[in-house]
Amino acid sequence: MSENHNKSPKLGKLLTSHRQPGANFDLYDSNEPYPTVFVDGYAQTLIGPAVSKVSFFVTEQVIDDGGGASSGSTLQGVEERVVNLRMVIPTRALAEFCIQTLNSIKQGEASISSMADQNKAFLKLIP
């Protein structure tokens, strides 16, 4: 069988080939443009038996809530968050994504910690 057995025009560069029980696939980068969306965090999750929906947000601005130290409030302001992406994904795939993400973070713990230390050191340099 040829290396590129699916001649779909959407197939681009082969990113990875996976061959093991339960995960037998080739992953290609699309030749067609697809969106890259920045998010600040997630807003809501709706977990269903078949599919789940995850909503992500960006922070537009932080407004002063009028409180502050004089009123005894510990709030610094109110973030205005706007949902900018809603992802619908099979629940099993979402669970696998979460597990793999946590495993990747754990594996990269030393470099993540090192980067955080570097950022702290940099912030101390700011007058």
Side-chain angles (χ1 to χ4, degrees):
M1 187 178 280
S2 73
E3 182 68 26
N4 189 0
H5 56 277
N6 185 345
K7 300 296 183 187
S8 168
K10 292 183 181 183
L11 289 181
K13 178 182 174 189
L14 179 65
L15 298 176
T16 186
S17 245
H18 219 69
R19 301 291 184 268
Q20 65 183 20
N24 189 18
F25 62 87
D26 294 332
L27 178 64
Y28 293 87
D29 199 8
S30 177
N31 278 333
E32 296 183 7
Y34 52 87
T36 299
V37 180
F38 175 82
V39 300
D40 286 316
Y42 73 94
Q44 297 175 317
T45 55
L46 300 169
I47 308 296
V51 296
S52 295
K53 297 178 182 179
V54 184
S55 298
F56 298 89
F57 70 86
V58 291
T59 302
E60 291 295 323
Q61 64 180 342
V62 179
I63 56 173
D64 185 357
D65 69 346
S70 61
S71 67
S73 172
T74 58
L75 300 176
Q76 299 297 315
V78 178
E79 288 184 1
E80 291 186 337
R81 298 176 174 181
V82 177
V83 172
N84 68 329
L85 176 67
R86 184 164 292 114
M87 176 178 66
V88 179
I89 183 172
T91 300
R92 180 183 168 125
L94 177 61
E96 290 172 359
F97 168 76
C98 292
I99 291 167
Q100 289 178 5
T101 300
L102 291 173
N103 287 338
S104 294
I105 290 170
K106 185 67 176 170
Q107 289 174 357
E109 185 176 10
S111 62
I112 292 170
S113 178
S114 172
M115 185 57 71
D117 291 343
Q118 290 174 17
N119 288 340
K120 287 178 190 175
F122 175 74
L123 290 174
K124 289 180 182 178
L125 298 174
I126 299 173

